[in-house]
């Protein structure tokens, strides 16, 4: 739509991720790729996050953990709003 009209739809007009938090965004994307899904999308479990930390030899700071939790909440909310096919 932006290419056709030159305007960004209001829902997509979001600021870029601050460079100080790009690594947290990447961590979330990595964890999200491994998310367990059954009949519906489940939140990232603490056990999954701990396993990700162990596998990648990374220890999240409390702030980074809170960011991951907040990103997961937004992801789950947007996934529940998306129309099913």
């Amino acid at each position: 739509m932006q290419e056709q009209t030159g305007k960004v739809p209001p829902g997509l007009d979001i600021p870029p991720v601050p460079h100080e938090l790009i690594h947290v965004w990447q961590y979330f994307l990595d964890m999200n790729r491994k998310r367990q899904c059954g009949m519906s999308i489940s939140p990232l479990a603490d056990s999954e996050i701990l396993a990700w930390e162990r596998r990648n030899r990374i220890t999240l700071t409390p702030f980074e953990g809170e960011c991951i939790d907040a990103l997961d909440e937004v992801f789950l909310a947007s996934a529940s709003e998306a129309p099913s096919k």
Side-chain angles (χ1 to χ4, degrees):
M1 179 178 213
Q2 180 180 357
E3 292 174 0
Q4 296 166 344
T5 66
K7 297 179 183 178
V8 177
L12 298 178
D13 189 17
I14 56 174
V17 176
H19 73 276
E20 300 89 354
L21 297 175
I22 289 175
H23 70 285
V24 177
W25 175 245
Q26 189 60 55
Y27 293 168
F28 175 74
L29 294 177
D30 289 345
M31 290 178 207
N32 194 46
R33 267 194 2 254
K34 303 281 185 172
R35 182 186 299 273
Q36 298 294 314
C37 295
M39 296 295 285
S40 64
I41 299 174
S42 300
L44 289 170
D46 288 341
S47 59
E48 293 174 293
I49 296 170
L50 289 169
W52 179 90
E53 286 181 290
R54 206 170 32 254
R55 180 178 185 185
N56 292 282
R57 296 186 177 115
I58 294 172
T59 301
L60 297 175
T61 66
F63 175 75
E64 290 169 334
E66 290 173 14
C67 289
I68 297 293
D69 290 342
L71 288 167
D72 197 40
E73 286 180 29
V74 172
F75 174 80
L76 292 169
S78 68
S80 70
E81 291 175 5
S84 56
K85 293 183 178 184

